[in-house]
Amino acid sequence: MYKLLFLLVASLVSAQNYRFVYEYKMKPDTGKKDSLVTDYMNLDTDGKKSYFYNAVKYERDSAYHVDKSYPALLKGKHYDRNLSYIIEKDYAKKTINFYNKFKNANLVIIDHEAPKWTIANEFNKIGGMNCQKAVAEYKGRTWEAWFSKDFPVSDGPYKFSGLPGLVVMIKDAENDHAFHLIQIKKIKTVTAFIPKKNKQMTNTEYRKIMKDYRFSAGEDIAGMNIDSKAGRMEIQLKDGYAAQFDYNELKKSIAKMDDVIADKLRLTNNPVERE
C-alpha cells in the first residue's frame, strides 16, 4: 500500500491536480466506545481550492448523474450516513465552506476558524515520508497531527489545514476520530457535487439542528420499496441517502420497525466538532 503511495510522490509534485485518500476511523456513539466506523475520504486539490468528501458517496453521485438510475444507486457500495458532507477550502480567501443536506434543505456553513497549530520538535517517519508533529486545540478537542514537507501542500483531511506541509496522520486525544493518509493519486480534474443554491447558517445553528435531530419515518423518508420475495426493503431519505434493509429481519419486530430503522440511520452524538 505505502509502496504505491510514496513512489508516486516525486512524480506528482509538479502535477496540478491531486487526490489524497484518507482512511477515517470514528467512534459514532459516546455510549458505546467500542463502536467503530471505518470509511474512506478523498481530499482533492488543484492548488487553489480543495474538496474533502466521502469516496463512496462521490462514486455513487457520479454514476447517478450519468444515468439517473435509482436501482443502481441502491445497489452501489454503502457509506456511513454521517459522512455525507463536503468541505471546500479556498486557499486565497482562507475560508472553509461546509456543505451538507438536512431533509430537503441544502445547507452551507462558512467557517473562518482554522486550527491554530503549535509545531513540536518531534519527528517521525510515516510510510516513508518525513513527518513532524503538531498539536492544536480545535472545536472542543485536542488534536495531534503529523505533517510532511515532502509534499508541498498546506492542507489535510476535514478542516485541518495551515501547516507547512500535508497532514499525513491526525487523531484526537481520545482516539474518537483518526485520519490516516493511505494513497496519493494524480487526477485530471477536480469536481465536487455542490448544490448551486444553499441556505447559509452559522456553525452554532447547524450544531443545534444536528443535536436536536430525531429520525422520523414520515418526515425523513422520500421513497420506499419492499421486495418480499428477495426479503429486501429499500429506503431513500429526503437528504439523498439510500439504504437497504433485511425485510425478513424487520418483520420480526414489526411493531418497532421504525425504531429499528431509526437506530441504523441515526446520526452521531460524537461529532468531530464539540463546540
Side-chain angles (χ1 to χ4, degrees):
M1 178 173 64
Y2 287 120
K3 183 178 180 181
L4 174 62
L5 168 60
F6 299 113
L7 281 176
L8 291 174
V9 170
S11 63
L12 288 177
V13 169
S14 60
Q16 184 178 5
N17 302 320
Y18 312 90
R19 172 168 296 162
F20 306 100
V21 182
Y22 289 87
E23 180 184 69
Y24 177 29
K25 293 182 180 294
M26 64 174 288
K27 297 176 181 177
D29 191 343
T30 56
K32 298 178 181 178
K33 284 295 186 175
D34 59 341
S35 63
L36 184 67
V37 169
T38 300
D39 223 314
Y40 297 90
M41 309 293 288
N42 291 340
L43 174 68
D44 293 355
T45 178
D46 61 4
K48 297 179 180 179
K49 288 185 176 182
S50 71
Y51 298 91
F52 182 73
Y53 56 88
N54 183 267
V56 171
K57 183 179 186 300
Y58 179 81
E59 291 177 7
R60 290 170 62 125
D61 289 350
S62 298
Y64 185 72
H65 273 71
V66 172
D67 56 22
K68 304 295 182 181
S69 172
Y70 174 64
L73 183 69
L74 286 169
K75 292 178 182 178
K77 298 177 183 177
H78 293 279
Y79 61 94
D80 190 87
R81 190 186 174 200
N82 293 287
L83 305 179
S84 296
Y85 59 79
I86 299 173
I87 295 175
E88 175 189 51
K89 303 188 192 87
D90 188 308
Y91 298 158
K93 294 180 181 179
K94 299 187 183 301
T95 55
I96 302 172
N97 293 343
F98 180 97
Y99 299 92
N100 207 354
K101 190 169 184 178
F102 181 75
K103 300 185 186 296
N104 287 322
N106 295 313
L107 308 178
V108 59
I109 297 88
I110 300 175
D111 196 342
H112 295 274
E113 183 185 351
K116 295 179 181 178
W117 300 102
T118 299
I119 298 178
N121 192 32
E122 294 184 41
F123 302 88
N124 197 2
K125 200 95 168 177
I126 301 176
M129 296 185 81
N130 298 305
C131 297
Q132 187 170 2
K133 182 180 176 180
V135 294
E137 298 289 334
Y138 184 66
K139 303 294 181 83
R141 293 183 186 271
T142 300
W143 294 92
E144 175 186 298
W146 290 89
F147 68 94
S148 178
K149 297 180 182 178
D150 291 353
F151 209 98
V153 177
S154 179
D155 208 341
Y158 195 66
K159 299 180 181 180
F160 301 112
S161 58
L163 285 164
L166 176 69
V167 175
V168 175
M169 187 166 61
I170 184 168
K171 64 178 181 177
D172 73 298
E174 298 172 52
N175 288 315
D176 285 347
H177 300 268
F179 300 88
H180 195 165
L181 179 66
I182 61 170
Q183 192 177 28
I184 299 173
K185 302 177 182 179
K186 178 182 177 180
I187 56 176
K188 292 182 179 180
T189 58
V190 173
T191 305
F193 296 103
I194 295 176
K196 294 181 179 180
K197 295 183 179 180
N198 298 279
K199 179 182 178 181
Q200 185 174 331
M201 62 174 51
T202 66
N203 204 27
T204 300
E205 291 171 332
Y206 177 76
R207 288 201 315 272
K208 186 177 188 307
I209 286 177
M210 294 296 105
K211 184 178 179 180
D212 294 344
Y213 169 77
R214 298 293 182 272
F215 177 84
S216 168
E219 294 181 6
D220 289 298
I221 295 178
M224 178 187 298
N225 180 58
I226 297 176
D227 186 339
S228 56
K229 291 184 179 180
R232 183 174 62 245
M233 183 169 75
E234 301 163 341
I235 291 177
Q236 185 174 31
L237 303 183
K238 291 180 180 178
D239 62 13
Y241 187 78
Q244 290 187 2
F245 295 86
D246 186 322
Y247 184 61
N248 294 324
E249 286 296 319
L250 287 176
K251 285 195 301 182
K252 293 178 182 178
S253 21
I254 195 163
K256 297 183 178 180
M257 185 179 291
D258 285 357
D259 293 336
V260 174
I261 295 173
D263 184 61
K264 290 185 178 294
L265 295 178
R266 67 191 180 89
L267 298 178
T268 180
N269 62 3
N270 191 25
V272 177
E273 300 179 21
R274 284 177 169 165
E275 57 184 42

